[in-house]
PDB file of all heavy atoms in Angstrom:
ATOM      1  N   ALA A 224     134.327 100.259   6.864  1.00 98.00           N
ATOM      2  CA  ALA A 224     133.146  99.435   7.045  1.00 98.00           C
ATOM      3  C   ALA A 224     133.590  97.974   7.227  1.00 98.00           C
ATOM      4  O   ALA A 224     134.770  97.677   6.972  1.00 98.00           O
ATOM      5  CB  ALA A 224     132.205  99.576   5.859  1.00 98.00           C
ATOM      6  N   PRO A 225     132.685  97.066   7.666  1.00 97.00           N
ATOM      7  CA  PRO A 225     133.099  95.693   7.680  1.00 97.00           C
ATOM      8  C   PRO A 225     133.661  95.228   6.373  1.00 97.00           C
ATOM      9  O   PRO A 225     133.239  95.671   5.290  1.00 97.00           O
ATOM     10  CB  PRO A 225     131.770  94.981   7.977  1.00 97.00           C
ATOM     11  CG  PRO A 225     130.974  95.978   8.791  1.00 97.00           C
ATOM     12  CD  PRO A 225     131.316  97.291   8.175  1.00 97.00           C
ATOM     13  N   VAL A 226     134.701  94.422   6.447  1.00 98.00           N
ATOM     14  CA  VAL A 226     135.448  94.013   5.231  1.00 98.00           C
ATOM     15  C   VAL A 226     134.494  93.363   4.223  1.00 98.00           C
ATOM     16  O   VAL A 226     133.531  92.717   4.565  1.00 98.00           O
ATOM     17  CB  VAL A 226     136.621  93.079   5.556  1.00 98.00           C
ATOM     18  CG1 VAL A 226     137.670  93.819   6.415  1.00 98.00           C
ATOM     19  CG2 VAL A 226     136.159  91.838   6.243  1.00 98.00           C
ATOM     20  N   SER A 227     134.840  93.557   2.950  1.00 98.00           N
ATOM     21  CA  SER A 227     134.120  92.920   1.805  1.00 98.00           C
ATOM     22  C   SER A 227     132.618  93.207   1.850  1.00 98.00           C
ATOM     23  O   SER A 227     131.804  92.321   1.579  1.00 98.00           O
ATOM     24  CB  SER A 227     134.361  91.408   1.824  1.00 98.00           C
ATOM     25  OG  SER A 227     135.718  91.127   1.691  1.00 98.00           O
ATOM     26  N   SER A 228     132.264  94.429   2.185  1.00 98.00           N
ATOM     27  CA  SER A 228     130.869  94.760   2.228  1.00 98.00           C
ATOM     28  C   SER A 228     130.573  95.876   1.182  1.00 98.00           C
ATOM     29  O   SER A 228     131.473  96.553   0.723  1.00 98.00           O
ATOM     30  CB  SER A 228     130.439  95.262   3.598  1.00 98.00           C
ATOM     31  OG  SER A 228     131.158  96.381   4.017  1.00 98.00           O
ATOM     32  N   LEU A 229     129.304  95.983   0.830  1.00 98.00           N
ATOM     33  CA  LEU A 229     128.871  97.064  -0.043  1.00 98.00           C
ATOM     34  C   LEU A 229     128.439  98.227   0.825  1.00 98.00           C
ATOM     35  O   LEU A 229     127.775  98.040   1.859  1.00 98.00           O
ATOM     36  CB  LEU A 229     127.717  96.580  -0.932  1.00 98.00           C
ATOM     37  CG  LEU A 229     127.177  97.582  -1.964  1.00 98.00           C
ATOM     38  CD1 LEU A 229     126.718  96.818  -3.201  1.00 98.00           C
ATOM     39  CD2 LEU A 229     125.979  98.408  -1.440  1.00 98.00           C
ATOM     40  N   VAL A 230     128.809  99.431   0.477  1.00 98.00           N
ATOM     41  CA  VAL A 230     128.472 100.639   1.213  1.00 98.00           C
ATOM     42  C   VAL A 230     127.643 101.575   0.338  1.00 98.00           C
ATOM     43  O   VAL A 230     128.083 101.925  -0.747  1.00 98.00           O
ATOM     44  CB  VAL A 230     129.752 101.383   1.713  1.00 98.00           C
ATOM     45  CG1 VAL A 230     129.368 102.659   2.444  1.00 98.00           C
ATOM     46  CG2 VAL A 230     130.579 100.460   2.582  1.00 98.00           C
ATOM     47  N   GLU A 231     126.445 101.927   0.787  1.00 98.00           N
ATOM     48  CA  GLU A 231     125.602 102.884   0.077  1.00 98.00           C
ATOM     49  C   GLU A 231     125.693 104.215   0.753  1.00 98.00           C
ATOM     50  O   GLU A 231     125.556 104.321   2.000  1.00 98.00           O
ATOM     51  CB  GLU A 231     124.146 102.403   0.063  1.00 98.00           C
ATOM     52  CG  GLU A 231     123.918 101.185  -0.792  1.00 98.00           C
ATOM     53  CD  GLU A 231     122.468 100.800  -0.918  1.00 98.00           C
ATOM     54  OE1 GLU A 231     121.631 101.303  -0.149  1.00 98.00           O
ATOM     55  OE2 GLU A 231     122.148  99.956  -1.767  1.00 98.00           O
ATOM     56  N   VAL A 232     125.901 105.285   0.001  1.00 97.00           N
ATOM     57  CA  VAL A 232     126.026 106.635   0.537  1.00 97.00           C
ATOM     58  C   VAL A 232     124.786 107.460   0.243  1.00 97.00           C
ATOM     59  O   VAL A 232     124.208 107.363  -0.862  1.00 97.00           O
ATOM     60  CB  VAL A 232     127.267 107.339  -0.100  1.00 97.00           C
ATOM     61  CG1 VAL A 232     127.365 108.778   0.371  1.00 97.00           C
ATOM     62  CG2 VAL A 232     128.552 106.583   0.284  1.00 97.00           C
ATOM     63  N   PHE A 233     124.352 108.199   1.243  1.00 97.00           N
ATOM     64  CA  PHE A 233     123.154 109.054   1.144  1.00 97.00           C
ATOM     65  C   PHE A 233     123.488 110.447   1.624  1.00 97.00           C
ATOM     66  O   PHE A 233     124.497 110.662   2.295  1.00 97.00           O
ATOM     67  CB  PHE A 233     122.035 108.497   2.025  1.00 97.00           C
ATOM     68  CG  PHE A 233     121.547 107.137   1.671  1.00 97.00           C
ATOM     69  CD1 PHE A 233     122.278 106.022   2.023  1.00 97.00           C
ATOM     70  CD2 PHE A 233     120.360 106.987   0.947  1.00 97.00           C
ATOM     71  CE1 PHE A 233     121.822 104.721   1.690  1.00 97.00           C
ATOM     72  CE2 PHE A 233     119.886 105.697   0.601  1.00 97.00           C
ATOM     73  CZ  PHE A 233     120.648 104.594   0.979  1.00 97.00           C
TER      74      PHE A 233
END
Side-chain angles (χ1 to χ4, degrees):
V226 296
S227 300
S228 61
L229 184 146
V230 178
E231 292 185 347
V232 175
F233 297 79

